[in-house]
Amino acid sequence: SAVSQRAYSKWTDDYLTQHWGKRPVSVELNKTETRGGPQKEMLFGKFLTDMYTKEHEGQLYAIVDFDQDKKAKTDLDLPDPIRCKEVLPQSVTLW
C-alpha cells in the first residue's frame, strides 16, 4: 500500500522542493479529466508553493513523472519477492 512506502512520509513539499524544485513541469490550469486543456510551464517548487495560495485555489494540477529519475525510484520499496538490486520500478508518477 502507499502508506508503507518510504516516499509516503518522506516526500513532503519541502523534500520535493529541495530535490526537484528546479525541475520544469507542465501545469494544468483547471481540474479536468480531458488532457489538452490550458497549461503553463513552471518550476516544480513554484508549483508546490502556488497551488496552496488563495489566488490559485483549485486551479493548478500537475502530473509529474519520475521515470528517468533514479533518486525518486530509490524512495520506493518493492515487495519482498522482487526486491533485489537489479530490479527497480519502471515508472514513477506523482499525481
Side-chain angles (χ1 to χ4, degrees):
S1 77
V3 177
S4 67
Q5 295 292 321
R6 280 178 289 158
Y8 185 83
S9 59
K10 194 174 186 179
W11 284 17
T12 63
D13 289 348
D14 289 339
Y15 182 84
L16 292 170
T17 299
Q18 179 184 357
H19 292 277
W20 298 287
K22 296 191 185 311
R23 178 184 176 167
V25 295
S26 183
V27 176
E28 295 180 3
L29 301 179
N30 58 17
K31 185 176 183 178
T32 179
E33 297 301 321
T34 306
R35 297 283 169 241
Q39 297 182 7
K40 70 177 183 177
E41 292 289 317
M42 59 192 322
L43 296 179
F44 190 36
K46 180 161 176 50
F47 165 75
L48 290 170
T49 300
D50 287 1
M51 66 184 261
Y52 297 112
T53 65
K54 193 75 166 166
E55 175 187 355
H56 294 104
E57 186 176 340
Q59 293 180 358
L60 302 179
Y61 299 87
I63 299 171
V64 183
D65 77 78
F66 290 104
D67 290 352
Q68 305 304 316
D69 193 304
K70 290 182 181 181
K71 167 77 176 120
K73 291 179 181 180
T74 60
D75 286 343
L76 300 175
D77 299 310
L78 296 173
D80 286 337
I82 60 172
R83 187 179 300 159
C84 63
K85 67 179 182 175
E86 293 85 13
V87 177
L88 287 174
Q90 276 188 323
S91 179
V92 178
T93 304
L94 181 64
W95 291 71

